[in-house]
Amino acid sequence: MARAEWGSRLGFIVAAAGSAVGLGAIWKFPYVAAQNGGGAFLLIFLMIVCTLGVSLMIAEMSVGAIARKSPVGAYRKLGGKGWSLVGYIGVLCGFLILSFYSVVGGWTIAYLIKTVEGSILTADPGILSKTFDSFIADPVTPLWYHALFMGVTAGVVLAGVQKGIERVSKYLMMMLFLLILVLIARGLTLEGALEGVRTFLSPDFSKVTATMVIEAMGLAFFSMSLGMGCMITYGSYASGETYIPNSAASVIGLTTLICFLAGLMVFPAIFVFGFDPSAGPGLTFITMPAVFSHMSGGQFFGILFFFLLFVAALTSSVSLMEVVVSFFIDEFRFPRMATTVVMSVLMFVLGIGASLSLGVWKGYTLFGKNLFGILDYLSSNLIMPFGGIMVAILVGWKAWAVVSIRLMRPDGTQPLWLPLFKNFCRYMAPVLIFVILIQNL
């Protein structure tokens, strides 16, 4: 059976950017940055993205493009039989992330409906915080939205690569980008907004700790969809004419820009309305309704924002599910429909526990974290960095001969950065990530 391909290079870039520009950039980046000092965290994050992020994005896309297989098959083909274990871990990571990611995706649908009803258009921090807390603590309502979001994700994956994933990403990600710009412009006109911008952009190096660096690396991996096989899977659908370095740079650039803009969108509102920067996962859902309440036509923009936030979440969740589904299709020749349905149900079941851990199961913790936090920490701060180490070693050592050929320019010449990239994958990336991992443990 012929391997599916993206319809165009632009489709590949937008779909890969859609995988990265999801809730990681718009939902997670602002609250993690707020919890870690704003400007200093932003600087550390950018340094990691411009070094590890770019290198690993090129590495993962190259592995997929050369092997033309899902992570397990790709690692086995380029590294040997023993390397397939790394692919299995990547598939597991995608499974774990989507189980709790779908819960948050469900929140976007719920808040879209709440905005249509007009029930959250208030600038009162107390009301907004109470509304969000009571919603996620409800043992039943969030699960319906979790199921709905998982079902929509499954529907897109069932439609395939071009008709499903590429089409959804291509037409809606630009709308999200434009709306963020509109919301930034409105937020900056609020009295006191510049204090939020100053906090976001001014680095306070006294805030830099080992924990912050770990958080920045984990967020970089999460935001860029690295270390779990998404970019290997998406790279496997790239045509032979696709020049991977340019595509990788475009994806990294778009994702970093959206992260930065998301911070500019949320931080002013934090200071204007007196919200708690350490509010955690609910920060975006608490601050943005306050901005809409002060906008002319705020309800319309609120509806549009939460719809497009849902779309951003969807483009990422689709890539996560595609990692799992493509594994079973490639390895066992399972039909796409049956695989997608079964995996969706299993991920939904695990997500039930993640959702309840924010409410009725809140008291059950391990190492001070509930199940939602454990799944997030395990995947973002442990498994994904491990995947980053292994793909760097694979590319730098085991498969360099074929990778270096794939990275040649279209005219057949060697790019000047190729030797640096080789050494970075061989030495710097594995050592740097390993040191941070040990500190993390």
Side-chain angles (χ1 to χ4, degrees):
M1 185 171 62
R3 184 86 174 162
E5 287 189 355
W6 303 112
S8 65
R9 178 177 175 270
L10 176 62
F12 171 40
I13 292 172
V14 174
S19 169
V21 179
L23 293 178
I26 301 171
W27 158 66
K28 193 173 183 181
F29 180 83
Y31 87 76
V32 174
Q35 290 175 333
N36 288 277
F41 179 86
L42 174 63
L43 186 59
I44 299 296
F45 176 81
L46 289 175
M47 291 172 61
I48 291 174
V49 166
C50 292
T51 52
L52 284 176
V54 172
S55 299
L56 296 182
M57 183 72 74
I58 293 174
E60 289 202 19
M61 285 184 173
S62 299
V63 168
I66 293 168
R68 307 277 292 170
K69 294 180 180 294
S70 62
V72 173
Y75 276 108
R76 182 191 300 120
K77 183 174 181 177
L78 297 186
K81 187 175 180 180
W83 279 82
S84 60
L85 177 61
V86 182
Y88 284 112
I89 294 174
V91 173
L92 173 64
C93 185
F95 183 94
L96 295 178
I97 290 177
L98 187 51
S99 65
F100 74 84
Y101 194 91
S102 177
V103 173
V104 184
W107 297 353
T108 67
I109 301 176
Y111 265 67
L112 172 61
I113 294 174
K114 289 178 184 293
T115 309
V116 172
E117 297 171 343
S119 61
I120 57 171
L121 295 178
T122 174
D124 188 323
I127 293 177
L128 290 170
S129 297
K130 185 177 180 180
T131 299
F132 180 77
D133 291 341
S134 62
F135 166 68
I136 64 172
D138 189 312
V140 177
T141 305
L143 297 182
W144 288 112
Y145 292 112
H146 167 40
L148 179 58
F149 183 83
M150 188 68 77
V152 175
T153 301
V156 175
V157 173
L158 281 174
V161 175
Q162 284 191 28
K163 293 182 179 179
I165 302 171
E166 183 174 352
R167 183 175 296 173
V168 168
S169 302
K170 186 182 295 184
Y171 292 111
L172 293 174
M173 288 309 296
M174 183 57 70
M175 292 176 63
L176 177 68
F177 178 77
L178 293 175
L179 184 64
I180 289 177
L181 292 179
V182 172
L183 294 174
I184 288 173
R186 180 63 185 97
L188 291 177
T189 64
L190 299 172
E191 186 177 352
L194 292 181
E195 184 61 33
V197 175
R198 191 175 299 112
T199 300
F200 179 52
L201 298 180
S202 300
D204 178 2
F205 292 106
S206 66
K207 301 283 188 179
V208 178
T209 63
T211 301
M212 176 200 276
V213 175
I214 291 166
E215 288 286 350
M217 186 183 72
L219 184 58
F221 276 83
F222 189 93
S223 300
M224 307 295 163
S225 296
L226 296 170
M228 58 178 138
C230 283
M231 292 306 161
I232 292 177
T233 302
Y234 274 25
S236 72
Y237 300 135
S239 68
E241 291 73 37
T242 301
Y243 187 50
I244 293 298
N246 286 352
S247 298
S250 298
V251 173
I252 288 287
L254 283 172
T255 308
T256 305
L257 178 61
I258 293 294
C259 285
F260 178 76
L261 293 178
L264 287 180
M265 180 180 68
V266 173
F267 267 76
I270 293 175
F271 284 84
V272 170
F273 300 111
F275 291 117
D276 180 8
S278 61
L283 189 59
T284 301
F285 294 90
I286 295 171
T287 57
M288 293 317 298
V291 176
F292 300 136
S293 70
H294 280 73
M295 292 179 68
S296 176
Q299 186 172 18
F300 169 76
F301 283 106
I303 292 170
L304 197 55
F305 171 77
F306 281 111
F307 170 70
L308 291 173
L309 187 61
F310 158 72
V311 170
L314 181 64
T315 55
S316 292
S317 67
V318 163
S319 71
L320 291 166
M321 186 173 288
E322 183 65 19
V323 170
V324 180
V325 170
S326 65
F327 158 69
F328 284 99
I329 293 174
D330 287 353
E331 295 296 311
F332 304 106
R333 297 291 186 265
F334 286 177
R336 177 172 284 268
M337 178 173 288
T339 303
T340 303
V341 171
V342 171
M343 289 299 106
S344 298
V345 171
L346 292 177
M347 285 185 276
F348 169 75
V349 171
L350 181 56
I352 291 176
S355 181
L356 294 179
S357 72
L358 299 171
V360 293
W361 290 358
K362 197 172 185 177
Y364 298 99
T365 61
L366 182 66
F367 301 114
K369 299 182 182 295
N370 56 25
L371 180 58
F372 187 100
I374 290 172
L375 291 173
D376 186 8
Y377 187 85
L378 179 64
S379 56
S380 300
N381 290 18
L382 295 179
I383 297 180
M384 293 169 73
F386 170 77
I389 290 176
M390 299 312 293
V391 76
I393 293 174
L394 176 69
V395 167
W397 292 96
K398 192 74 175 177
W400 179 250
V402 290
V403 170
S404 61
I405 295 173
R406 187 64 177 80
L407 294 180
M408 290 294 181
R409 292 195 187 98
D411 61 6
T413 60
Q414 175 180 297
L416 294 177
W417 50 263
L418 197 59
L420 179 62
F421 172 72
K422 173 184 177 181
N423 288 319
F424 194 87
C425 287
R426 282 191 171 188
Y427 308 109
M428 296 177 65
V431 170
L432 181 59
I433 300 173
F434 182 74
V435 168
I436 296 175
L437 263 179
I438 294 300
Q439 178 68 39
N440 200 8
L441 292 172

